[in-house]
Amino acid sequence: MAGVAKNLAHPASDRSRFENNPATREPPWVKRLILGLALTFFAVFLLLPLFAVFAEALRKGWDTYRVVLTDEDALSAIRLTLIAAAIAVPLNLVFGVAAAWCIAKFDFRGKHMLTTLIDLPFSVSPVVAGLIYVLIFGAQGWFGPWLREHDFKIIFAVPGIVLATIFVTFPFIARELIPLMQAQGKDEEEAAVVLGARGWQVFWHVTLPNIKWGLLYGVILCNARAMGEFGAVSVVSGKIRGETNTMPLQVEILYNEYNYAAAFAMASLLALLALATLVLKSWIEHVSRRDYAPVVEGKTS
């Protein structure tokens, strides 16, 4: 463990040792070839499509771009996307922290089953998830007659969009926190309990400070996934323009109508969201490494 921690604290020395070892050193032409292939792939499959989105969105000028994004239907799609994310992310935050805390800190019957269920949205197609909600809450579904009698609509309405968004995004926070909390172990929490701390005091003053960067990282990924969800939402929304269209659905409708300028303008907002997510991700990784390095150095000294 001390050797691993030392390598984490001094990655530069570890890299130089790797380069100086004949068994692991590669010829310069191999490095250039691998680097060239990676940069080519990055440029063709990532940078070029991103450039095309913004170029097409601004092809008719800033005035057209502004008019498209201030259209009533576009504003409704943006507003609904933000509402769905604003509901789904806090709920998944609570669930993710609770599930990760239970799985990482306690042993109980059904622990492996809970871990498997958390990964369910990763293995089930979002379209299938949307169809499941239609089967349960649709007009001909299990609860359809009861919902109709009480004049409450889930499918083809905002509640269905929120439910679908919650389903496809709930693993992200839990999956970021579980390995982190398992690696940290239980020693600090047990020491706090021995010193007289209660459950919530242990969580707020011991557990939460240790997981804050992983938690923020999971929230960012969860939010990005919630705003960009298409498959499940397209099934349960009904694609009612100005009412149940989110930003990805609005892009599809505009593109199918051959309104390319409007479609790419809306797509550019989603691309900006992706870029902002990458910037925040990089910043969190930088800050977490900076905060972690002194701790590792202190343990290895």
Side-chain angles (χ1 to χ4, degrees), residues 190-245:
E190 291 174 349
V193 172
V194 170
L195 293 173
R198 298 182 180 274
W200 281 111
Q201 290 176 320
V202 173
F203 175 76
W204 287 110
H205 298 288
V206 179
T207 304
L208 188 58
N210 288 335
I211 65 171
K212 60 183 179 180
W213 295 119
L215 180 61
L216 184 57
Y217 186 85
V219 168
I220 291 172
L221 294 180
C222 180
N223 181 71
R225 183 71 172 87
M227 290 189 175
E229 171 55 27
F230 178 84
V233 171
S234 67
V235 175
V236 301
S237 70
K239 300 181 182 179
I240 305 172
R241 179 171 295 194
E243 295 184 20
T244 62
N245 267 353

Side-chain angles (χ1 to χ4, degrees), residues 212-213 286-296:
K212 60 183 179 180
W213 295 119
H286 169 72
V287 174
S288 61
R289 279 198 302 266
R290 185 189 63 192
D291 290 352
Y292 180 68
V295 177
V296 174

